[in-house]
Amino acid sequence: MKREENWKENYLALKAYIMGHRQLPDKKKEENRGLLNWWKYNKKLIQAGKLPAEKVKMLDELSGMRETFVKRWTAPEND
């Protein structure tokens, strides 16, 4: 059960980071590197088909949040 709790804690921490910074953690900043590594590890598990569908859906939600922020930044302004 501890592993599941850790996964959810990391998920919530990454979600909060993306909401606050509108991007994934910077790999050059050591204090947030653990979250980035957690994200990359889970993406590899998805590619290998080893992550449960519920978790895949949750991570897809984070990807969608990032894409929304990128679209807002790069969209031309309507004058």
Side-chain angles (χ1 to χ4, degrees), residues 22-48:
R22 302 174 187 221
Q23 63 183 15
L24 285 173
D26 186 348
K27 66 181 178 183
K28 295 178 183 176
K29 293 186 178 178
E30 193 171 327
E31 65 272 10
N32 299 316
R33 199 174 297 151
L35 281 178
L36 183 61
N37 289 340
W38 180 84
W39 168 262
K40 289 179 179 180
Y41 175 74
N42 279 281
K43 293 304 251 182
K44 286 182 182 181
L45 290 178
I46 290 172
Q47 291 173 349

Side-chain angles (χ1 to χ4, degrees), residues 47-64:
Q47 291 173 349
K50 295 182 178 181
L51 202 64
E54 175 187 334
K55 290 181 179 179
V56 171
K57 185 177 178 182
M58 292 170 76
L59 293 174
D60 283 346
E61 175 189 313
L62 295 184
S63 292

Side-chain angles (χ1 to χ4, degrees), residues 2-15 35 38:
K2 180 72 172 158
R3 191 176 290 178
E4 189 67 26
E5 290 172 12
N6 286 340
W7 195 93
K8 287 187 179 185
E9 284 177 17
N10 282 322
Y11 170 80
L12 292 173
L14 184 58
K15 184 175 183 177
L35 281 178
W38 180 84

